[in-house]
Structure formats: structure tokens, C-alpha cells
Amino acid sequence: PVLYMHDGQQVFDPQTSTWKQDWEIDEWCAKLIPQKEIKEIIVVAAYSTEDRFVEYNPSLGGPQYARFMIEELKPFIDREYRTLPGAESTAVAGASMGGTISFFLAWTRPDVYFGAACLSPAFRFKNDQYCLDLVRRTARPPDTRLYLYCGLGDPTEQELAEGMKEMVGLLETAGVSRGGNLQVVEDLAAKHSEAAWAKHSGEWLLPLFRK
């Protein structure tokens, strides 16, 4: 199975991370895989560019970024590594705008991704609510596994939490039930930071890749 992650410089190494704090995905995998709590997985961490706000925004450059992920990056990974290439073995994850594009990819391309972890997703930010409108327009929700997380420990997280709350309501109205394909987590003290996301990495790796 393969997990694709955005803002790749933040994923594994504190020395490449913007704030010297990574998501600790390698540490979590090194812990959970030997304990047989999750499957052995490959994690692909695609670095972001200076245009990440545009590239990760579904209403701007998101569709072009999605094409890169699906038509260029995934075929390369499947060709070079021992992957299980089917949608049932391929997930995506990210934080902030990376959480937004993760939702967009999983919701619109269930033929490629079975699920997404969306941490502090920007579902309503700077008057942009593309993903909310996308769910409103969907007649039948895809069979997509979703983990939605947000903190409440600073103004940014509090603003993003409002959009996530609205998204949860739309998903439940559409028939996506908590405890089924939808898992929702809030952390009252967590700020908008890699340190907070690292704390919860094990929580979303488990439902996505449980052995």
C-alpha cells in the first residue's frame, strides 16, 4: 500500500522542515508496522513549491496538481517500487491546504484513492469554500474513508475548525456516517503546527492502514 503526502519536506526530517519539526511519519511507521497494527506501507512525500497555496487549492491550480499526482507521480512510483497500485491500497494525506487538496483528490478520484487524512483542512478560508460546494453538488458520495482533524489552540485553527464543522455536517447529511467512513477529531489545545500534527499521526495511520 502507498500513502502520498503533500508538503513532503515536513514529513520525515526536522532539518528540512520549515519550523524544524517534522510529522514523524517514519517514527510512527517504525512503531506501528512491527507491532502489526498497520500494514507495511510506502510513504511518498512530495515537496511543495512556493506556489503551494495555488497548487493545493482546488479552485485554482488544484486540478493541475491532481493531474500531476495521478498521471505523473503515481505511475513513476508504481514503476520503480513494489507497490500495490490499486485504489484499495492508495491513500493521501496533508495538512492545512494540503488537507484540502487531499480531500479533493480522494472525493473526486475514488478510482485512485480509497481515503484521505485531512489535518487542519482549509475548507472555508479567505472566502474560498470549493470543497464544501463540491460535497453539496455530489448526488451520491463516493465510498471514501475520511479522517478529519482540527485543533482549537490558536486563531488559525479556530477559523479552520468552523469550516471543518460545516464539512462534517454536509458529509453526514450526504450519508457519510461517523464510525463508518468518517472519523472526526478535535484537539482543544493544538495549534496550527507540525508538532500538533505529528502528535496525531498514529491516529489516522491506524484507520487508513489497519492490518
Side-chain angles (χ1 to χ4, degrees):
V2 183
L3 170 65
Y4 288 88
M5 295 192 66
H6 315 293
D7 292 308
Q9 63 270 35
Q10 318 290 79
V11 172
F12 299 126
D13 188 350
Q15 298 306 310
T16 62
S17 179
T18 307
W19 311 110
K20 305 303 179 186
Q21 166 68 54
D22 64 309
W23 283 45
E24 301 178 2
I25 297 299
D26 45 344
E27 287 90 346
W28 277 104
C29 287
K31 175 182 177 181
L32 296 173
I33 291 172
Q35 293 177 352
K36 301 188 182 302
E37 294 191 57
I38 66 170
K39 302 170 184 175
E40 181 180 350
I41 64 172
I42 294 170
V43 181
V44 178
Y47 275 36
S48 58
T49 74
E50 293 180 356
D51 295 325
R52 68 180 294 278
F53 179 78
V54 173
E55 292 169 345
Y56 292 177
N57 192 323
S59 66
L60 298 173
Q64 290 74 33
Y65 178 75
R67 186 205 59 77
F68 159 73
M69 291 287 292
I70 294 167
E71 298 180 14
E72 295 186 44
L73 182 59
K74 187 177 187 301
F76 170 78
I77 296 299
D78 289 338
R79 185 171 63 248
E80 295 293 326
Y81 299 93
R82 53 188 181 91
T83 69
L84 295 174
E88 69 280 358
S89 300
T90 309
V92 62
S96 198
M97 290 303 299
T100 310
I101 195 66
S102 294
F103 180 92
F104 175 76
L105 285 164
W107 188 264
T108 61
R109 294 301 303 268
D111 58 315
V112 179
Y113 307 100
F114 73 81
C118 311
L119 285 81
S120 307
F123 291 140
R124 180 181 288 283
F125 186 64
K126 295 185 177 180
N127 298 318
D128 191 326
Q129 56 175 35
Y130 185 95
C131 286
L132 295 170
D133 290 337
L134 178 64
V135 173
R136 290 189 183 97
R137 296 195 303 267
T138 302
R140 178 180 295 178
D143 185 20
T144 299
R145 207 175 307 168
L146 297 169
Y147 175 98
L148 305 183
Y149 156 91
C150 204
L152 291 166
D154 63 23
T156 299
E157 288 292 279
Q158 292 163 12
E159 179 181 357
L160 296 176
E162 289 300 314
M164 192 182 83
K165 181 178 179 181
E166 186 173 356
M167 175 61 81
V168 170
L170 290 172
L171 291 171
E172 291 181 322
T173 298
V176 184
S177 61
R178 296 200 204 196
N181 273 352
L182 178 62
Q183 185 170 348
V184 181
V185 175
E186 287 187 336
D187 187 332
L188 297 179
K191 298 182 179 181
H192 195 75
S193 70
E194 278 71 25
W197 300 324
K199 176 183 173 183
H200 291 275
S201 292
E203 288 181 6
W204 56 264
L205 283 168
L206 279 167
L208 288 181
F209 295 103
R210 193 179 304 277
K211 194 170 178 66

